[in-house]
Amino acid sequence: MYTLPKIERFNQNVLSKYNIYNSVFITLPFDAIDNTGVLLPLFTEVCNNGFKNDWSPKQIVDFFSDKYLDKASEKDKIDLMFRFIQYVERQIVLFDAIEDAAFPIVNNLEGRGSLRDIKEKSEAKDKRKELIEFLENFSVRTVLTAHPTQFYPGSVLGIITDLTEAIRVNDLLTIKQLLAQLGKTPFIKKEKPTPFDEAISLVWYLENVFYQTIGTMMQYLQKNIFEGNIIENPIINLGFWPGGDRDGNPFVTPEITEKVAKRLRTSILKCYYFDIRNLKRKLTFNEVDTIIAGIEFKLYRSVFYSQGELFISLEELINQLNTIKQIIIKEHQSLYLDEINLLLQKINQFGFHFASLDIRQNSRIHNKVFNDIVSFLKREKSVIFPEDYDTLSEDNKIEIVSNLKFNLKTHFFENEITRSTLETIALMKVIQKNNGENSCNRYIISNNESALNVIETFAMFRLLDWENPTVDFVPLFESVDDLQNANTIMEQLYKNSVYRNHLNQRKDKQTVMLGFSDGTKDGGYLMANWSIYKAKEAITEISRKYGIKVIFFDGRGGPPARGGGKTHKFYASLGSTIENQEIQLTVQGQTISSNFGTLDSCRYNLENLLSAGAANQIFNKDENNLSQNEKDTLDKLANLGYEKYLSFKNHPKFLPYLEQMSTLKYYSKTNIGSRPSKRNSDDKLDFADLRAIPFVSSWSQLKQNVPGFFGVGTALKYYEDSNQWEEVQTLFDNSLFFRTLLENSMMSLAKCFFPLTAYMKDDLEFGEFWKIIFAEFSETKRLLLKIAGHKELMENYPDGKASIAMREQIVIPLLTIQQYASSQINELKKQQKLDEKLVAIYGKLVTRSLFGNTNASRNSA
């Protein structure tokens, strides 16, 4: 029997099941749900027809009220809209669970991009030796961040997990119970989570998804490629930011960092404990049973009866298991050897740290801290420090700072930021001692603008009596200017003898982080992506010149506007001019739950990332290199898009539009993350201090998705108007990088819905500004369809297109309610006497609808 096409599998296992279980949901006996369940489909129909007829959200709500509600007051309408929101939020959860349950059916887990595919392809092309060499050196690191882009509380995430499993086996009774539970479970967090709360939420994924998935993947490689031997290279690594990411988050303290590090160790020991318990039931042979019982007892005490004390070391655990392994091989016919090897492989992967806790702080904070240190050193008689330091050139400052010798450990700084920064550095040494070096060995400097930013950070470690820190210093380049200067900054560092000696002790490896999110916010979609590509090429070239192996760490968000989309295709598209020995990327918010939230989706996406690396280094090593002519074309396109985006960003209505017409100001009122939505605390909106997540999310809520396409249409139109279309068409046909870039932009366009805000075109203040956005959208859509040879957006991803369409259909009532409430607030503010109570109620409607809209998109922020 032939396998059905992907879209048919999606229709049968997702769309059909949703319609069935949604009808069950409607029949459940909730308070006032019967009325809501009956009226919601009618409201959805009125929304759909209204937008087709160019109605405003207010006209839609008023028409629905007149036709279906009996002389309803504004209070009655508002109450019903709140009930609609609550109902739709739960429909989204149902759809998420159904889609998760269908994942292994819709997607071929053994197909293209899988470990099996890599193995069979290497055998078919006689490249098995190259594959083994690749796996001994390559690695993927997914770094879980606390960036708040998902609004489900933990209780709802638990329901989604249970509901997914019940749907997978079609257990109707359990499904009904879970839907009933869902209807009565609050979706709103009453208080903002602490950074530790965020860490606990993500540790759940480590324990329940990543631990099992990575173990299974490594066992497959171990048995099928490495002939049963333990793989020394930890091919899949995990990184962790909650509790370590200080950039703009005053709630992350040294105490929180220490607490999170302890929790990570406890969590991995707990995973080992349960595995040992299972092994103990199987290893019931003489001598072996005594050893494994001893391991179980020591792990149990370390997990459940410990105040931070360890009763077994990592070395002892490995040695004891290896002893068991040898006895099993020698005396018991290798019985349960696979299970022992699997546990040993997991221990090799995760150590006693589980995931590496990264520390991150902004260079602007470091500048203040170092100025405080400089002021102290100038007063200290036992150190010679130039009084005119502040007026020296950067090169002179680097020379002085590189060679500073002093011990600050005994000095007390009154400035809290200085004290906290230095305490965090000292704490990293303690965490490494307790959990192993890999537990906390990276310090990321965000907003890195110079080599001095890195050298000052490096110096702070050495000034705390850590002469040779076992830490990697990672500059994060984000803005267009910083990306363009990145290779010069890295060369300055490589030429510094003290820092070069440090790199020598770090195996001549240098990690560089590149920020897609802030790059797009700063320079627009084309310029950000092309600037990052060029920065990688230039840094690779300069690093190879100095004998340094550079590792790129990409700060990616969920949507294409923040470096998301089909990320594995991006990595597969990088040619040999970009170092690609490791793939490192941030994973956050909805992307964690949607791409890595289940065993199947986690395995699928991790294997695809690994496959992307293999495609680059084994199968298509030089195929993806861009010619000089292609680079010139991309340069031209990026600059054209950049000019268009800059003129748009500098438009006098740009910030007022975001403040008054989008949900930007409501984002900070949600209790989804511990981190403030702006880097400063001023009431005045400063674009430079605005974080990328609320920026992108605000455009997403408007269904305009500006950061994912603005400037693309203008750039392509230049080539059409100048009769050079064949040039970009050839580039699209031949370059996987360019094709992936534009396909991801098509995803942004597919999630746009301009009829929602079409009423704004008649607004006296913002009408012309709205028209600028719509004109660029229309031109971009037309030209992307032309270059792809498609009639519809995402034509080549029919299942993805169908999923987006269904999600957008589910939330159309929320979008309408949000815009209705927003427009009502703007009208109320024009009146002489402001009804502040009513404005607050409408504001609550905007905020509540924001939750569901974001969750439905899965990668909207």
Side-chain angles (χ1 to χ4, degrees):
M1 184 177 175
Y2 290 108
T3 303
L4 292 172
K6 201 171 184 181
I7 184 61
E8 290 189 36
R9 300 200 301 272
F10 181 86
N11 288 337
Q12 283 187 9
N13 294 280
V14 179
L15 294 188
S16 297
K17 281 192 176 183
Y18 174 74
N19 291 327
I20 292 167
Y21 292 133
N22 189 42
S23 64
V24 172
F25 197 28
I26 291 172
T27 64
L28 293 173
F30 301 131
D31 297 337
I33 202 83
D34 293 339
N35 188 35
T36 308
V38 170
L39 290 173
L40 182 58
L42 297 173
F43 182 60
T44 302
E45 186 181 5
V46 171
C47 291
N48 286 327
N49 291 332
F51 287 128
K52 284 177 186 174
N53 293 317
D54 205 25
W55 288 3
S56 70
K58 185 177 188 316
Q59 287 173 303
I60 288 169
V61 172
D62 289 345
F63 176 86
F64 173 78
S65 177
D66 292 341
K67 186 170 182 178
Y68 295 109
L69 305 180
D70 185 21
K71 297 179 181 177
S73 65
E74 189 64 16
K75 182 183 181 302
D76 293 332
K77 285 195 282 186
I78 289 170
D79 287 344
L80 181 61
M81 283 188 274
F82 274 118
R83 294 209 304 273
F84 280 165
I85 290 170
Q86 292 173 320
Y87 196 92
V88 172
E89 283 175 334
R90 287 152 178 81
Q91 286 181 313
I92 294 162
V93 169
L94 175 60
F95 191 80
D96 280 350
I98 291 169
E99 202 164 42
D100 286 345
F103 191 91
I105 301 170
V106 175
N107 299 280
N108 183 359
L109 298 187
E110 303 295 339
R112 190 175 179 183
S114 66
L115 291 183
R116 180 177 175 177
D117 177 53
I118 298 170
K119 174 183 174 288
E120 291 178 352
K121 196 180 292 183
S122 69
E123 289 170 350
K125 296 188 176 186
D126 197 25
K127 289 183 178 287
R128 184 180 174 83
K129 185 180 177 183
E130 288 92 331
L131 176 61
I132 291 173
E133 186 180 345
F134 163 75
L135 292 170
E136 286 175 339
N137 295 285
F138 185 81
S139 69
V140 170
R141 181 187 290 222
T142 52
V143 180
L144 308 186
T145 79
H147 295 347
T149 61
Q150 179 164 266
F151 295 82
Y152 293 139
S155 55
V156 175
L157 287 171
I159 294 172
I160 292 176
T161 301
D162 295 339
L163 191 55
T164 299
E165 188 53 43
I167 289 167
R168 185 173 281 133
V169 296
N170 292 314
D171 183 350
L172 186 58
L173 179 62
T174 303
I175 291 167
K176 286 186 72 172
Q177 288 178 330
L178 288 165
L179 289 176
Q181 181 187 350
L182 187 66
K184 293 176 176 291
T185 301
F187 271 49
I188 305 304
K189 297 175 182 176
K190 293 178 182 177
E191 297 179 356
K192 288 176 78 70
T194 67
F196 187 68
D197 294 332
E198 291 170 332
I200 295 300
S201 296
L202 293 191
V203 165
W204 185 93
Y205 290 100
L206 296 182
E207 292 178 355
N208 294 281
V209 183
F210 285 97
Y211 181 73
Q212 303 295 340
T213 303
I214 293 172
T216 302
M217 288 174 63
M218 295 303 294
Q219 187 177 42
Y220 178 89
L221 294 172
Q222 191 184 74
K223 291 178 69 174
N224 294 283
I225 296 172
F226 285 84
E227 299 175 349
N229 296 313
I230 299 295
I231 306 168
E232 293 303 322
N233 175 37
I235 298 168
I236 311 291
N237 293 291
L238 296 172
F240 205 75
W241 275 18
D245 182 10
R246 283 161 168 65
D247 184 9
N249 193 338
F251 307 110
V252 178
T253 62
E255 291 76 21
I256 288 288
T257 302
E258 185 176 23
K259 200 174 172 185
V260 170
K262 286 180 178 177
R263 183 55 179 256
L264 286 168
R265 187 180 72 181
T266 301
S267 295
I268 191 58
L269 291 177
K270 186 167 68 174
C271 290
Y272 295 156
Y273 168 72
F274 286 123
D275 275 358
I276 286 289
R277 277 185 62 186
N278 290 330
L279 261 178
K280 186 185 171 191
R281 294 179 64 182
K282 297 174 181 179
L283 302 180
T284 52
F285 326 128
N286 284 335
E287 193 177 355
V288 170
D289 57 347
T290 308
I291 299 173
I292 199 151
I295 296 173
E296 181 197 28
F297 178 69
K298 289 179 179 179
L299 282 173
Y300 183 81
R301 289 189 70 191
S302 299
V303 172
F304 299 106
Y305 280 94
S306 165
Q307 295 297 320
E309 186 180 356
L310 274 181
F311 295 92
I312 187 167
S313 68
L314 179 62
E315 185 181 15
E316 183 185 353
L317 178 61
I318 293 170
N319 288 340
Q320 293 276 50
L321 283 171
N322 274 318
T323 300
I324 291 173
K325 179 178 173 178
Q326 294 309 314
I327 296 171
I328 290 293
I329 293 170
K330 188 176 178 181
E331 299 179 18
H332 301 291
Q333 293 77 48
S334 297
L335 197 57
Y336 299 121
L337 181 61
D338 282 351
E339 284 88 338
I340 297 168
N341 277 338
L342 173 58
L343 181 53
L344 279 166
Q345 192 64 64
K346 286 177 177 175
I347 294 168
N348 188 57
Q349 293 290 131
F350 304 117
F352 273 14
H353 62 279
F354 215 156
S356 297
L357 182 60
D358 287 346
I359 306 298
R360 182 172 79 131
Q361 183 56 284
N362 198 293
S363 67
R364 294 170 187 170
I365 298 295
H366 283 169
N367 289 341
K368 294 175 183 177
V369 171
F370 207 76
N371 286 341
D372 201 9
I373 292 171
V374 166
S375 296
F376 165 73
L377 292 175
K378 284 180 178 178
R379 298 192 303 270
E380 185 60 38
K381 293 179 181 178
S382 61
V383 63
I384 300 171
F385 198 87
E387 282 295 327
D388 61 346
Y389 174 80
D390 297 336
T391 62
L392 296 176
S393 68
E394 185 187 352
D395 286 341
N396 287 337
K397 284 182 178 179
I398 287 174
E399 182 64 26
I400 291 165
V401 173
S402 299
N403 294 288
L404 269 178
K405 299 280 185 183
F406 194 76
N407 188 353
L408 289 175
K409 284 182 77 173
T410 57
H411 181 72
F412 179 83
F413 285 92
E414 293 187 5
N415 185 290
E416 187 181 343
I417 292 175
T418 303
R419 202 165 59 249
S420 175
T421 302
L422 297 177
E423 283 176 10
T424 300
I425 290 170
L427 179 62
M428 289 179 73
K429 197 173 188 179
V430 175
I431 293 171
Q432 286 192 15
K433 182 182 177 184
N434 293 336
N435 297 6
E437 184 186 315
N438 290 333
S439 60
C440 191
N441 64 350
R442 299 207 306 187
Y443 199 109
I444 298 160
I445 308 151
S446 51
N447 193 44
N448 197 97
E449 297 176 326
S450 68
L452 184 60
N453 288 155
V454 179
I455 295 296
E456 285 180 343
T457 309
F458 177 47
M460 285 192 278
F461 279 72
R462 301 177 78 216
L463 288 168
L464 288 172
D465 196 27
W466 201 353
E467 180 66 22
N468 298 306
T470 48
V471 171
D472 296 322
F473 298 94
V474 184
L476 166 52
F477 301 107
E478 299 172 273
S479 71
V480 172
D481 287 344
D482 291 343
L483 287 165
Q484 290 172 348
N485 296 329
N487 62 315
T488 305
I489 290 170
M490 296 315 300
E491 183 169 27
Q492 278 181 278
L493 291 172
Y494 297 155
K495 288 167 77 172
N496 181 276
S497 59
V498 178
Y499 189 77
R500 184 64 185 82
N501 182 57
H502 165 72
L503 288 180
N504 183 251
Q505 293 176 3
R506 302 300 292 162
K507 298 180 180 178
D508 288 326
K509 289 183 179 181
Q510 170 68 54
T511 303
V512 175
M513 189 173 180
L514 304 162
F516 282 79
S517 302
D518 283 288
T520 306
K521 172 177 159 264
D522 181 51
Y525 183 72
L526 285 175
M527 180 56 86
N529 281 277
W530 181 233
S531 293
I532 287 171
Y533 186 99
K534 288 200 298 182
K536 284 186 175 183
E537 270 201 328
I539 294 170
T540 297
E541 183 181 1
I542 207 70
S543 300
R544 287 173 179 172
K545 175 184 172 183
Y546 286 90
I548 302 295
K549 178 187 167 187
V550 68
I551 298 160
F552 292 114
F553 175 25
D554 292 329
R556 294 181 179 273
R562 297 186 54 230
K566 305 290 182 183
T567 51
H568 62 278
K569 289 184 73 174
F570 261 119
Y571 290 114
S573 74
L574 302 178
S576 59
T577 57
I578 291 177
E579 204 70 76
N580 198 26
Q581 282 286 93
E582 296 187 27
I583 290 176
Q584 298 192 6
L585 71 162
T586 54
V587 188
Q588 52 196 256
Q590 302 127 306
T591 315
I592 297 173
S593 57
S594 61
N595 288 6
F596 301 93
T598 67
L599 295 173
D600 292 325
S601 62
C602 184
R603 175 191 153 196
Y604 180 84
N605 285 293
L606 285 178
E607 289 190 7
N608 265 273
L609 287 171
L610 194 57
S611 173
N616 239 321
Q617 294 193 38
I618 305 173
F619 305 119
N620 315 316
K621 195 164 188 180
D622 297 313
E623 287 180 17
N624 292 316
N625 288 346
L626 294 167
S627 68
Q628 189 55 52
N629 186 52
E630 288 173 327
K631 289 179 181 179
D632 291 342
T633 303
L634 277 161
D635 254 334
K636 182 71 175 176
L637 285 164
N639 281 305
L640 288 164
Y642 185 49
E643 288 169 16
K644 179 69 175 178
Y645 181 75
L646 277 188
S647 68
F648 175 68
K649 195 172 75 170
N650 294 328
H651 193 287
K653 294 300 176 187
F654 182 84
L655 285 178
Y657 183 81
L658 277 174
E659 281 191 293
Q660 297 176 46
M661 307 303 277
S662 82
T663 59
L664 182 63
K665 59 178 171 285
Y666 298 96
Y667 204 89
S668 61
K669 298 176 183 178
T670 61
N671 289 325
I672 61 162
S674 66
R675 191 169 70 162
S677 61
K678 291 195 300 178
R679 285 187 170 91
N680 67 356
S681 56
D682 299 340
D683 290 334
K684 187 175 181 295
L685 179 62
D686 183 348
F687 184 78
D689 290 320
L690 179 60
R691 293 196 173 279
I693 290 173
F695 175 73
V696 173
S697 181
S698 298
W699 291 110
S700 175
Q701 293 286 319
L702 285 167
K703 289 296 162 188
Q704 293 176 356
N705 289 332
V706 159
F709 73 83
F710 203 90
V712 175
T714 295
L716 291 174
K717 193 172 188 305
Y718 168 84
Y719 281 84
E720 184 183 57
D721 290 347
S722 59
N723 296 317
Q724 299 178 70
W725 182 258
E726 191 59 36
E727 202 170 315
V728 288
Q729 186 65 63
T730 302
L731 180 62
F732 181 86
D733 294 339
N734 295 338
S735 167
L736 180 59
F737 169 77
F738 186 56
R739 194 159 61 250
T740 303
L741 192 66
L742 295 193
E743 283 182 353
N744 281 342
S745 188
M746 286 186 212
M747 186 190 293
S748 291
L749 293 176
K751 292 187 175 186
C752 290
F753 185 62
F754 276 85
L756 176 71
T757 56
Y759 73 95
M760 294 182 188
K761 68 178 180 289
D762 300 320
D763 187 271
L764 290 176
E765 184 176 358
F766 296 109
E768 291 307 311
F769 188 75
W770 184 93
K771 289 174 185 175
I772 292 171
I773 301 169
F774 183 64
E776 185 65 17
F777 163 81
S778 302
E779 201 68 331
T780 304
K781 181 179 177 180
R782 178 182 73 82
L783 291 168
L784 286 182
L785 290 175
K786 177 179 177 178
I787 203 167
H790 293 169
K791 292 182 180 178
E792 295 179 329
L793 294 168
M794 295 185 68
E795 197 175 288
N796 53 334
Y797 297 106
D799 58 313
K801 178 185 169 192
S803 176
I804 289 171
M806 190 64 201
R807 288 175 178 279
E808 297 300 310
Q809 181 60 22
I810 292 171
V811 298
I812 200 163
L814 298 193
L815 296 169
T816 308
I817 289 167
Q818 187 178 86
Q819 284 303 312
Y820 170 77
S822 182
S823 61
Q824 290 293 91
I825 289 170
N826 287 336
E827 286 303 312
L828 284 169
K829 286 183 175 178
K830 293 175 184 176
Q831 296 177 8
Q832 282 189 331
K833 189 177 180 182
L834 182 64
D835 188 338
E836 292 185 2
K837 187 177 179 182
L838 192 54
V839 166
I841 293 170
Y842 282 131
K844 193 175 178 183
L845 269 178
V846 174
T847 306
R848 284 300 312 277
S849 56
L850 186 151
F851 293 179
N853 291 336
T854 302
N855 288 336
S857 295
R858 277 206 158 182
N859 70 351
S860 63

